[in-house]
Amino acid sequence: MSGLHDVSVARTVLVGVTGGIAIYKSVELVRGLVKDGLRPLVVTTEAAQRFVMPLTFAAVSQAPVLDDQSAWQGSGGWFQHIEAARAASVMVVAPATANTLAKMATGIADNLLTATYLAFRGPVIVAPTMNWAMHQHDATQHNLRLLADRGVEVLPTEQGELACGEEGSGRMASPETIRLAVRRALAASARGPLAGKRVVVTSGGTRERIDAVRFIGNRSSGKMGRALADEAYLRGATVTLVTTQPPTGAAYDVVSVESAAEMAAAVGDAVRSADVLVMAAAVADFRPAVDERGKIERGERETLTLELVRTVDILASTARPGLYRVGFAAEAGPRLDRARAKKAAKGIDLLVFNDILAEGVGIGSDENEITMLTAEGEVHVPRTSKAACAHAVADQIEKGLAG
Ligand code: CTP
């Protein structure tokens, strides 16, 4: 098993691959991990090799693939499972079939992958995939609960069309979601103030119903909020994203809402046990006074007047001791004065200001330029990716929580 000791344990990820049709996504996952600067070490079961040849994984991981053959045929020595377990900092099983999950839950170690799992001491992530009926079966659900209770991170399956042609929940999480979970597990060793905290993030623009087909909305894409939710998750927080733009296959809880009233109710529920609230959503300030059940007809009208009434100010209404609140102020122009006034009026801990008229940033864009108003002063972040902005905001939140 020479070679395993040469690689850096801190950056090595054991990737257990089992025999599920979602295995084609594992090839992309392994490529992605390499792109993230990590060293994937692939361990496959025999069933996995009926779907994808080991050579494919060896090529994308740039390392030999470990399997039952290598375990017994001398190249790996007698203790390949122990050596493999010692060589990595995190283990991910993707796809994780019902069969392998059952073995992991009961401690059966009849192949290299499950034996390695038993010998491994670090964080383990599983990405289940199977037919919806198999997924819902009491046996599978029991096994998943057992694993979760033991600290295994069980990634949610996605809803949609399954390989068997049926519809339901059982699709494997996307390679991006799994990569994020791996990065989180690796980062969790450096635990900051957000680790273990409950964080509620809102994102997207609300839609206020005019009638059965129309609404008042705005152009918010939800990207900044998503980046913030991802960043909090990466830092080990338990995240709930309340959003009008639900992402598919997030690694954390997503509550899908439409209107300001729905968002207010969902946030009200979620913040009860939360430590941090980040209101990145573009909440409508007004909604139509009447929600017409049918469709307003044009008829002979030349004009149409809608009466609008104020919506609830979610941020202002969630103030309570022990809840660190972050607001956003998207202003038309360099109106830091307005942002400062908003921070004071809403009594919040941190306000993130951005100028929506600035070139190439803000609504819908992948980039942003922000100024953070904190209790201590103002911090400017020049134009950069929304992910980098989220990083800077999370740093400020951590400073606030620690201080
Ligand atoms: N916000 C909220 N509930 C609302 C409106 C806004 O919680 N009904 C939150 C936003 O999510 C944001 C912050 O309050 O974090 C500031 O929102 P913004 O629209 O910039 O400010 P307003 O308070 O609506 O003031 P104005 O429209 O006059 O700029």
Side-chain angles (χ1 to χ4, degrees):
M1 197 66 172
S2 59
L4 277 193
H5 295 298
D6 310 338
V7 302
S8 144
V9 173
R11 290 192 302 125
T12 301
V13 180
L14 279 169
V15 183
V17 175
T18 74
I21 185 65
I23 195 169
Y24 70 93
K25 295 193 212 168
S26 309
V27 178
E28 206 184 318
L29 167 66
V30 171
R31 271 177 64 104
L33 292 172
V34 173
K35 273 195 202 143
D36 289 339
L38 302 172
R39 314 277 301 252
L41 191 60
V42 178
V43 186
T44 73
T45 61
E46 219 180 290
Q49 297 190 6
R50 296 201 200 113
F51 288 91
V52 174
M53 298 277 286
L55 189 58
T56 305
F57 284 112
V60 291
S61 68
Q62 298 154 24
V65 168
L66 310 181
D67 58 19
D68 293 346
Q69 298 280 326
S70 67
W72 299 116
Q73 281 182 353
S75 57
W78 292 106
F79 300 108
Q80 199 168 60
H81 56 299
I82 310 286
E83 290 202 32
R86 281 189 196 140
S89 296
V90 55
M91 179 172 189
V92 57
V93 184
T97 55
N99 183 47
T100 293
L101 290 166
K103 288 182 185 177
M104 288 169 72
T106 45
I108 293 173
D110 65 348
N111 60 33
L112 184 68
L113 195 161
T114 48
T116 303
Y117 163 68
L118 273 193
F120 184 65
R121 311 296 299 169
V124 179
I125 301 155
V126 293
T129 177
M130 64 202 76
N131 164 274
W132 65 270
M134 294 171 74
H135 186 240
Q136 278 177 13
H137 196 285
D138 282 350
T140 308
Q141 288 298 316
H142 178 74
N143 289 333
L144 289 172
R145 266 197 307 278
L146 258 180
L147 289 170
D149 287 349
R150 283 187 205 136
V152 171
E153 176 157 13
V154 179
L155 293 177
T157 53
E158 288 183 19
Q159 188 81 19
E161 194 187 328
L162 303 169
C164 55
E166 294 182 37
E167 281 279 324
S169 176
R171 286 161 61 121
M172 185 170 87
S174 71
E176 292 73 34
T177 301
I178 302 171
R179 270 163 76 182
L180 203 63
V182 168
R183 282 173 53 204
R184 168 188 162 102
L186 287 170
S189 49
R191 293 173 70 82
L194 271 172
K197 291 285 190 298
R198 292 189 171 275
V199 177
V200 179
V201 181
T202 65
S203 73
T206 62
R207 295 173 163 200
E208 310 303 322
R209 275 173 58 112
I210 298 172
D211 64 16
V213 290
R214 303 179 178 96
F215 60 84
I216 297 175
N218 62 67
R219 287 172 43 231
S220 168
S221 63
K223 286 180 185 170
M224 193 60 229
R226 174 81 201 267
L228 282 155
D230 283 359
E231 185 62 36
Y233 170 79
L234 274 177
R235 294 182 188 219
T238 303
V239 176
T240 303
L241 177 64
V242 179
T243 181
T244 59
Q245 306 274 357
T248 52
Y252 39 77
D253 268 357
V254 175
V255 182
S256 176
V257 295
E258 208 174 286
S259 63
E262 281 176 26
M263 184 171 277
V267 169
D269 271 354
V271 293
R272 233 169 263 143
S273 57
D275 304 286
V276 179
L277 168 64
V278 182
M279 281 295 303
V283 186
D285 289 324
F286 295 94
R287 66 170 172 80
V290 183
D291 171 6
E292 299 286 345
R293 294 183 68 82
K295 184 180 163 216
I296 300 175
E297 288 170 11
R298 180 178 56 170
E300 297 304 312
R301 289 175 211 268
E302 287 301 326
T303 61
L304 173 67
T305 306
L306 289 175
E307 190 191 352
L308 303 181
V309 293
R310 276 186 88 122
T311 56
V312 57
D313 188 323
I314 304 173
L315 196 51
S317 65
T318 45
R320 70 159 164 78
L323 180 65
Y324 186 94
R325 291 176 307 134
V326 183
F328 277 70
E331 306 291 348
R335 301 295 309 273
L336 262 171
D337 54 324
R338 269 180 61 81
R340 287 183 197 117
K342 257 178 215 178
K343 178 171 183 290
K346 301 195 189 209
I348 54 182
D349 302 280
L350 174 64
L351 187 122
V352 183
F353 158 81
N354 72 309
D355 175 357
I356 50 166
L357 300 185
E359 192 81 4
V361 298
I363 297 178
S365 153
D366 289 327
E367 297 197 327
N368 212 347
E369 176 178 351
I370 57 172
T371 301
M372 295 179 285
L373 314 190
T374 74
E376 286 76 39
E378 300 179 3
V379 183
H380 182 71
V381 181
R383 180 173 168 179
T384 182
S385 68
K386 286 189 171 170
C389 288
H391 197 271
V393 173
D395 278 351
Q396 284 303 326
I397 296 174
E398 291 208 316
K399 256 191 207 161
L401 290 176

